[in-house]
Each structure stands twice: as structure tokens, then as C-alpha cells.
Amino acid sequence: MVRLLAVAAPLGLSNFAGGVAIGLDGLAARRRLEAALVFAAFEAGMPLAGLAVGRGVATLVGDSAAVLGGLVLVGLGAWLLLQAARATRGTRPRRTWNRGRLVVVAAALSVDNLVAGFALGALQVSVLVAALVIGAVSAVLGFAGLELGHRAGRRLAGYADACSAAGLIAVGALAALRIL
């Protein structure tokens, strides 16, 4: 179990970092909890999906999964940064994090877990148990990041949108470079 937690913690760190970025936008408590649960569902489900699509497809995606997920986050962050710039000119109200946007971020953060199901076999643990542990750790880390971001976002006031977008760009770049 210790080895499984040692695998789950680094996988959940991207959710922590993404949570901080999203939390800056001042999500309500209910939406932060929902975001953490969406993150957990994707983190737990991707290893299972990797098994379902087959080793060949997962291996093909595996080589570029971190880059692909990172680039999606960079693109989303850039788009949100553009929206934040427009909002400062008074042309658009502050954005909200709806389920669709949360799903896109959660999917991008967990693309690299697609291959994790095969690596988990070396730990001699059930893939289902591993997926549940990874999901639970990701939920806790994601929620912690969302809470931290929420508290910091209140201090940043008018700059929270731009900081949130810049944070997603940074998390995406670190993921694409395989640093996070």
C-alpha cells in the first residue's frame, strides 16, 4: 500500500497545482468540492480506460500523453487569459467554472494516467484498488489546491482571473515538459 501511495501522490500533484489555479477564480465551496470529485473521477478512470483501449493504443498515447495534456492546459489557460484581459476592459463579466470546463481540465490533467494501468501491474495490486486509491489521493490533493487557490484569490481580487489563467498555462507547460 505504501508503494501505491508513492505512485498516487505524484499523480495527484498536477491536480493540486491545477486546483490552485482554478481556485484563484473564487469558486463557491460546492463548486470546489465538485471540481475535486471530477478530478478524482478522471484520475481513477484513466488507468481503467488505458486497459480498456488496449496496450497498443495506450503505449502510443503514453509517449506523448504528458505533452498532449500539457498543451491542452496551455491552450485553455491562454484562452482564459484572453478572456481575463477582455474582462478588465469591462466587456465581459467574470467567468464561471462550469462542469464542461472542469471536465476539460480534469481530462487534460489525467491523460498521462491512461498508461498508468500497465505500470500498476508491477506493484502487484488490483488495478481497481489502485484506481480508487489514486482517485482518493487526487481528490484530497485537488481539493487542497482549490482551497489554497480560493484563499489566495480573495487577496488578489481583480487579478484572480489572470492569475488563474497564467497558473493553468504554467501547470500545462510543466506537464508538457514532464516536470510535473
Side-chain angles (χ1 to χ4, degrees):
M1 184 59 91
V2 172
R3 291 186 345 210
L4 181 55
L5 288 172
V7 170
L11 291 174
L13 284 178
S14 61
N15 287 324
F16 176 79
V20 170
I22 292 169
L24 287 169
D25 272 341
L27 276 68
R30 184 176 187 166
R31 184 63 69 176
R32 292 191 306 272
L33 179 60
E34 180 182 359
L37 293 175
V38 169
F39 286 178
F42 272 87
E43 290 289 319
M46 282 296 195
L48 299 175
L51 288 174
V53 299
R55 183 178 295 270
V57 173
T59 302
L60 177 67
V61 171
D63 292 338
S64 59
V67 175
L68 177 64
L71 291 176
V72 169
L73 287 175
V74 167
L76 179 62
W79 179 67
L80 295 175
L81 190 58
L82 192 70
Q83 285 185 327
R86 288 183 188 148
T88 59
R89 291 193 304 255
T91 60
R92 188 177 180 281
R94 188 178 175 128
R95 70 173 169 265
T96 59
W97 281 90
N98 59 29
R99 281 190 191 106
R101 191 173 285 162
L102 289 174
V103 165
V104 168
V105 171
L109 288 170
S110 64
V111 167
D112 56 339
N113 286 13
L114 198 62
V115 183
F118 301 115
L120 293 173
L123 295 179
Q124 297 176 346
V125 64
S126 159
V127 174
L128 183 58
V129 169
L132 292 173
V133 169
I134 290 169
V137 168
S138 293
V140 169
L141 289 173
F143 190 70
L146 288 158
E147 287 298 311
L148 178 63
H150 178 72
R151 292 180 193 329
R154 288 190 301 207
R155 289 184 178 84
L156 295 172
Y159 300 104
D161 280 354
C163 289
S164 172
L168 283 177
I169 292 170
V171 169
L174 291 173
L177 295 171
R178 299 174 191 216
I179 296 171
L180 182 62

